[in-house]
Amino acid sequence: MLKRYRGAWIGYLFLTPWLIGFFGLILGPMIYSLYLSFTDYSLLEAPKWIGLKNFETMFQDRNYIDSVKVTLTFVLWAVPLELIAALAVALLLNKGIRGIGIYRTMYYIPSLLGGSVAIALLWKNIFGVDGLINQVLAYFGIAGKGWVSHPDYALYTLIILSTWQFGSAMVIFLAGLKQIPSELYEAAEVDGANRFQKFWRITMPLLSPVLFFNLIMKIINSMQVFTSSYIVSEGTGGPINSTLFYTLYLYLKGFSHFEMGYASAMAWLLLIFLAILTGILFLTSKYWVYYEDGGRS
């Protein structure tokens, strides 16, 4: 018995750094931000309890509603495009071509760099009025536009930037494709199945758990886009709120307007929305995600 407890204490000893980080840097600040969401707090004065007023004000705030529209539009476009690009490249790399490790690294690098300040600045210059895109269009006699300075196009340049970062999803899709038994494709060929039938009836069902995982992760990441919109719009969310993402507006309310209570309320509303959306996806997964063991494991 004594030996058993001694082994447990050694385990907790190794977990101590993680437990300190979890309670001190995650759980503690989360609980405090929940309290702040019910207060009027400007960083310079003590928090004042105002109940649900922050949440009520949010739905009368025109900028807040714009930030929700911009973020949802971004998610609806960026997530499907990124998943389609990732799956297409993974299918291509699964053909057993030579030097697959090099290609895999090449496609994965944008995922590491895409969210950085340097790439956002590069993107801003490429799509600027005098940028590379307009120079190429001018060569063909086409007058370009200010892609990041026009409210009709600014958001879509950020969607293209997000789609370019499909590498992480591609690597996960590729790992999933490697797990599909080749005997299934051989049996389908004997039965006369064409490429589309093999993809739709073998690849997609067996890859659906991986697709489900990538879908959830991409939705969560897309709802938290910040760096690219901050750099491209120079921290304003412009032009005309066209790149005012939810997280950017949350940052502006917290650190520019010093409305920490309002910003905390926004953060908690985002967390609740993502939790509900993830729960809905899990509930619907039984209709379109296939597990070989019936999802029992």
Side-chain angles (χ1 to χ4, degrees):
M1 181 67 74
L2 184 62
K3 186 176 180 180
R4 179 183 172 189
Y5 281 113
R6 186 185 300 163
W9 276 110
I10 290 174
Y12 284 117
L13 184 64
F14 280 105
L15 279 174
T16 301
W18 182 86
L19 290 171
I20 292 173
F22 176 72
F23 287 106
L25 301 177
I26 298 177
L27 189 60
M30 282 184 69
I31 294 172
Y32 188 58
S33 76
L34 179 60
Y35 162 70
L36 290 180
S37 67
F38 298 103
T39 67
D40 180 9
Y41 181 43
S42 64
L43 282 176
L44 303 175
E45 299 176 355
K48 188 168 66 177
W49 184 268
I50 57 172
L52 294 173
K53 189 176 179 182
N54 283 327
F55 295 94
E56 294 170 1
T57 305
M58 215 177 289
F59 295 102
Q60 300 167 1
D61 182 349
R62 186 65 199 171
N63 286 333
Y64 174 80
I65 294 170
D66 284 347
S67 72
V68 171
K69 288 180 180 176
V70 167
T71 305
L72 290 179
T73 304
F74 179 84
V75 171
L76 289 174
W77 279 97
V79 172
L81 288 175
E82 195 172 342
L83 291 178
I84 290 170
L87 180 57
V89 174
L91 288 169
L92 190 65
L93 294 181
N94 195 42
K95 296 295 182 184
I97 58 178
R98 295 178 63 181
I100 186 172
I102 297 173
Y103 291 114
R104 193 164 48 201
T105 304
M106 286 172 56
Y107 286 115
Y108 187 68
I109 285 176
S111 294
L112 301 176
L113 301 176
S116 68
V117 173
I119 293 299
L121 284 170
L122 176 66
W123 212 255
K124 183 179 178 182
N125 288 325
I126 289 176
F127 283 92
V129 177
D130 299 322
L132 179 64
I133 298 297
N134 282 349
Q135 290 179 21
V136 172
L137 291 175
Y139 183 78
F140 294 100
I142 302 172
K145 303 179 182 299
W147 304 103
V148 295
S149 58
H150 195 291
D152 290 342
Y153 307 110
L155 178 60
Y156 297 100
T157 60
L158 297 183
I159 290 172
I160 296 171
L161 173 60
S162 173
T163 305
W164 182 59
Q165 303 166 41
F166 63 81
S168 59
M170 181 272 296
V171 170
I172 297 171
F173 274 134
L174 189 58
L177 289 170
K178 296 289 184 188
Q179 301 302 316
I180 299 176
S182 59
E183 293 82 3
L184 295 176
Y185 294 109
E186 293 169 2
E189 283 186 9
V190 171
D191 291 339
N194 57 36
R195 288 186 178 182
F196 177 78
Q197 288 171 325
K198 286 189 285 186
F199 172 76
W200 192 249
R201 296 187 180 278
I202 298 175
T203 304
M204 284 307 293
L206 294 181
L207 202 61
S208 57
V210 179
L211 176 63
F212 179 56
F213 172 80
N214 274 335
L215 176 65
I216 290 178
M217 296 307 294
K218 289 301 172 187
I219 288 175
I220 293 173
N221 288 335
S222 298
M223 294 291 294
Q224 300 177 72
V225 167
F226 174 79
T227 305
S228 55
S229 64
Y230 183 86
I231 297 299
V232 167
S233 69
E234 299 180 350
T236 64
I240 317 177
N241 286 351
S242 59
T243 60
L244 185 63
F245 282 76
Y246 195 97
T247 50
L248 176 57
Y249 189 51
L250 188 156
Y251 171 83
L252 292 174
K253 294 301 280 186
F255 295 98
S256 294
H257 304 161
F258 299 109
E259 297 180 30
M260 274 296 172
Y262 190 95
S264 298
M266 285 185 65
W268 272 96
L269 211 59
L270 176 62
L271 177 66
I272 292 168
F273 174 76
L274 283 175
I276 292 173
L277 184 60
T278 304
I280 292 172
L281 287 173
F282 267 95
L283 287 174
T284 59
S285 66
K286 62 184 177 183
Y287 298 108
W288 63 277
V289 178
Y290 171 77
Y291 295 101
E292 289 185 80
D293 63 353
R296 291 186 293 274
S297 61

